[in-house]
């Protein structure tokens, strides 16, 4: 199906948040022709990550309301922090009870692939209709040849920075290499404008930057055969680089979770960090923070000695548990979420915080209406997966959920362990996971 900018706008963006009748009319027509017919008396519960952009959640609620009105299927939505979705999904998988659907992070469905409903038909339907799935999304969604989850979107984990502080540090543009970035970090600290990366158990921001750093220097926690390779000269180079950055960060980052850097940036305590676009959205929404919004921008993560992007962005897969009594209703809801008439206004409402995994949505005007959002359009195509060179399966999911690499970096950066011992501890943990 050929989707251009004009048809995308006509099909979805023009509906907007106040879609009302237009969205409901579409939903009713869709329900009549959709391949999935909800079971009689179906009602669903979904646990999703807690939103960072209010307008995104508002649009999501309207989408769900339209689905309910058109199909009669009531959907209860619960919201939890990033860190809490995975353990609750694991409990549900082990007990065979709990929400029908989980919308979580990274490789979540691969923690219990045998407990996920096969959604190959949904993924194939959407892929054929909307220009195909990006490669990384396919890796996250599939277990073998079967889709065990549908990759709804990414949240880009890119550099957020203050433009005036960058110029004060002697840079005309944001650094493109890791060498330049270290000099930038030193200069901003010297000027009293330090930055900071989370070194606490921050599922998104913490994992995002340490995986980027590890890969940028050629380190890998496993090879293509899932053999543990974390103890290497390349990993040690990444650790040393991270420690040099850490010494030029604002104090306290070892205790940060996913919300701390947002707060520090908006409080003028840091001038750079890695994050989604939520800081920019919050600054634009707050009249007292307009100056920050006008003085900030976004950039790709710097490229290291390996000479190519090594970014890790937050994948948000949605899965249906096989304990659900209503698998057809689950499939209908997932497909409905990603139809253009729903997805376009929803992703516009996220204002750049969510990035599509289906190629057709490159044309959504949200990416060009404000040039400060444009880099986030590309994160699904640029992202590596949580498995690195290895598989995206239960083992990769466990390693990232257990913060194995993040703890290794934190232990070395804070001086609790030397490089060899930090790697040895991580190697021992990874060997247990990848046995």
């Amino acid at each position: 199906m050929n989707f251009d900018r004009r048809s995308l706008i006509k099909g979805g963006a023009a509906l907007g948040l106040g879609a009302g009748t237009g969205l409901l009319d579409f939903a009713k027509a869709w329900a009549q022709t959709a391949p999935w017919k909800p079971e009689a008396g179906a009602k669903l519960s979904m646990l999703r990550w807690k939103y960072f952009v209010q307008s995104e959640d508002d649009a999501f609620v309207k989408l769900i309301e339209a689905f309910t009105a058109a199909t009669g299927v009531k959907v209860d939505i619960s919201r939890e922090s990033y860190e809490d979705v995975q353990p609750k999904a694991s409990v549900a998988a082990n007990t065979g009870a709990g929400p029908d659907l989980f919308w979580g992070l990274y490789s979540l469905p691969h923690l219990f692939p045998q407990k996920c409903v096969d959604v190959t038909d949904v993924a194939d339907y959407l892929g054929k209709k909307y220009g195909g799935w990006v490669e990384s999304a396919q890796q996250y969604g599939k277990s073998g040849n079967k889709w065990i989850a549908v990759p709804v979107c990414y949240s880009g984990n890119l550099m957020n920075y203050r433009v005036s502080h960058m110029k004060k540090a002697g840079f005309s543009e944001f650094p493109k290499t890791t060498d330049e970035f270290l000099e930038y970090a030193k200069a901003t600290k010297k000027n009293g404008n330090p930055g900071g990366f989370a070194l606490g158990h921050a599922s998104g921001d913490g994992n995002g930057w340490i995986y980027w750093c590890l890969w940028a220097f050629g380190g890998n926690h496993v090879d293509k055969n899932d053999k543990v390779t974390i103890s290497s000269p390349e990993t040690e180079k990444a650790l040393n680089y991270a420690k040099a950055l850490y010494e030029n960060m604002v104090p306290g980052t070892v205790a940060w979770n996913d919300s701390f850097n947002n707060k520090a940036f908006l409080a003028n305590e840091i001038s750079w960090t890695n994050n989604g676009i939520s800081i920019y959205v919050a600054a634009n929404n707050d009249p007292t923070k307009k100056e920050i919004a006008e003085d900030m921008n976004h950039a790709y993560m710097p490229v290291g000695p390996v000479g190519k992007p090594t970014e890790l962005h937050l994948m948000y897969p949605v899965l249906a548990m096989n304990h659900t009594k209503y698998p057809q209703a689950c499939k209908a809801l997932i497909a409905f979420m990603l139809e253009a008439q729903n997805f376009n206004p929803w992703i516009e409402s996220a204002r750049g915080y969510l990035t599509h995994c289906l190629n057709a949505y490159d044309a959504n005007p949200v990416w060009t209406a404000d040039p400060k959002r444009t880099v986030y359009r590309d994160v699904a195509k640029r992202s590596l997966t949580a498995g690195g060179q290895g598989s995206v399966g239960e083992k990769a999911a466990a390693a990232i959920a257990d913060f194995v690499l993040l703890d290794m970096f934190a232990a070395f950066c804070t001086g609790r362990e030397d490089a060899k011992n930090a790697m040895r501890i991580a190697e021992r943990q990874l060997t247990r996971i990848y046995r």
Side-chain angles (χ1 to χ4, degrees):
M1 188 169 185
N2 181 33
F3 264 77
D4 58 16
R5 177 186 166 96
R6 182 184 297 272
S7 62
L8 278 167
I9 296 172
K10 183 179 179 182
L15 290 172
L17 273 177
T21 305
L23 179 55
L24 182 56
D25 287 347
F26 162 74
K28 288 178 177 177
W30 184 89
Q32 294 299 313
T33 59
W36 306 279
K37 305 301 180 188
E39 296 82 356
K43 55 183 179 180
L44 300 176
S45 56
M46 175 190 284
L47 178 62
R48 64 161 284 180
W49 46 275
K50 194 172 184 179
Y51 61 86
F52 278 76
V53 176
Q54 179 68 54
S55 55
E56 176 272 314
D57 194 68
D58 292 342
F60 182 67
V61 167
K62 287 190 177 295
L63 184 160
I64 296 297
E65 288 173 348
F67 178 80
T68 297
T71 64
V73 178
K74 188 176 187 309
V75 185
D76 290 322
I77 308 294
S78 302
R79 299 161 182 83
E80 296 281 357
S81 67
Y82 284 161
E83 295 83 1
D84 292 335
V85 175
Q86 179 265 317
K88 293 194 174 185
S90 295
V91 169
N94 289 331
T95 62
D100 302 275
L101 298 137
F102 284 88
W103 188 18
L105 287 185
Y106 295 121
S107 307
L108 176 65
H110 295 275
L111 286 171
F112 33 76
Q114 70 283 1
K115 300 296 179 71
C116 300
V117 171
D118 183 343
V119 289
T120 303
D121 51 349
V122 179
D124 287 348
Y125 166 86
L126 292 167
K128 289 173 184 173
K129 191 170 184 180
Y130 295 113
W133 296 97
V134 300
E135 175 61 29
S136 62
Q138 294 181 49
Q139 293 180 52
Y140 276 120
K142 285 184 173 181
S143 178
N145 292 321
K146 180 174 74 173
W147 290 79
I148 58 172
V150 170
V152 178
C153 51
Y154 276 92
S155 176
N157 203 309
L158 296 174
M159 294 305 307
N160 290 227
Y161 64 95
R162 293 288 294 270
V163 177
S164 62
H165 297 170
M166 175 189 73
K167 291 179 177 176
K168 183 181 175 184
F171 291 78
S172 59
E173 62 179 6
F174 194 83
K176 288 185 167 59
T177 69
T178 49
D179 285 347
E180 292 172 346
F181 181 51
L182 180 56
E183 295 309 308
Y184 168 85
K186 292 176 179 177
T188 52
K189 182 188 179 186
K190 183 180 178 182
N191 290 338
N193 308 127
F197 287 148
L199 268 172
H201 282 184
S203 296
D205 299 333
N207 280 316
W209 86 267
I210 63 96
Y211 274 77
W212 154 78
C213 185
L214 177 68
W215 295 331
F217 288 85
N220 284 284
H221 65 294
V222 292
D223 66 13
K224 63 181 181 180
N225 298 313
D226 280 347
K227 178 184 176 184
V228 176
T229 57
I230 192 63
S231 292
S232 71
E234 291 79 13
T235 298
E236 188 164 357
K237 288 176 185 175
L239 288 169
N240 285 321
Y241 179 82
K243 188 167 189 176
L245 279 179
Y246 174 73
E247 290 168 350
N248 288 281
M249 293 182 198
V250 69
T253 58
V254 73
W256 284 7
N257 63 25
D258 276 304
S259 64
F260 275 59
N261 60 339
N262 298 52
K263 295 172 184 174
F265 198 104
L266 291 169
N268 281 308
E269 294 169 3
I270 57 172
S271 70
W272 55 262
T273 192
N274 65 315
N275 206 65
I277 207 169
S278 54
I279 293 174
Y280 180 58
V281 172
N284 270 309
N285 287 345
D286 186 342
T288 69
K289 307 295 183 186
K290 286 289 186 183
E291 182 181 345
I292 293 176
E294 291 169 2
D295 185 43
M296 69 177 291
N297 209 339
H298 309 99
Y300 299 128
M301 300 296 287
V303 174
V306 296
K308 59 185 178 182
T310 55
E311 296 164 7
L312 177 66
H313 301 292
L314 280 76
M315 157 58 60
Y316 292 123
V318 64
L319 61 97
M321 288 287 190
N322 63 8
H323 64 243
T324 181
K325 297 177 182 177
Y326 311 112
Q328 293 303 307
C330 289
K331 290 183 178 184
L333 176 58
I334 293 170
F336 185 76
M337 286 167 59
L338 274 83
E339 292 281 14
Q341 287 83 348
N342 296 318
F343 193 76
N344 273 308
W346 176 24
I347 205 169
E348 283 203 69
S349 299
R351 297 163 72 180
Y353 187 72
L354 301 181
T355 301
H356 52 280
C357 300
L358 288 159
N359 289 308
Y361 295 120
D362 279 353
N364 191 299
V366 71
W367 306 119
T368 50
D370 183 344
K372 292 184 179 181
R373 299 176 187 152
T374 304
V375 290
Y376 285 95
R377 176 190 59 200
D378 306 323
V379 300
K381 293 182 176 69
R382 292 173 67 91
S383 187
L384 304 178
T385 68
Q389 288 188 343
S391 62
V392 181
E394 295 175 72
K395 296 167 183 176
I400 203 164
D402 291 347
F403 301 102
V404 175
L405 301 187
L406 187 49
D407 286 345
M408 175 185 73
F409 273 79
F412 178 69
C413 288
T414 58
R416 292 201 308 271
E417 305 289 350
D418 62 22
K420 294 289 190 292
N421 213 35
M423 289 189 291
R424 194 176 300 118
I425 293 167
E427 182 177 30
R428 193 159 56 239
Q429 293 172 305
L430 289 167
T431 300
R432 282 200 296 269
I433 291 171
Y434 279 88
R435 63 173 180 259

